Amino acid sequence: MEGCGGGCRGAYRVVVGWRTAREQRGTVEVYEVSARDGSRINTVAVPVVLAPAA
């Protein structure tokens, strides 16, 4: 397997559980933690619509 020196992007998947009584807008945010000081960097916010279970 060939390496990329830490610059490769990977495929990620996560299941997030939630409960809501009605449809509403929300945001999923992902970020990287800085190795220098532990702060959040490279934050991306993705708008989503949360819906009640059927």
Side-chain angles (χ1 to χ4, degrees), residues 24-45:
Q24 58 187 312
R25 294 175 188 236
T27 304
V28 174
E29 290 187 1
V30 293
Y31 59 88
E32 178 181 357
V33 176
S34 169
R36 180 175 46 147
D37 63 7
S39 64
R40 293 181 182 185
I41 59 173
N42 300 322
T43 301
V44 176

Side-chain angles (χ1 to χ4, degrees), residues 18-22 50-54:
W18 76 91
R19 292 183 187 182
T20 182
R22 61 179 173 78
L50 303 173

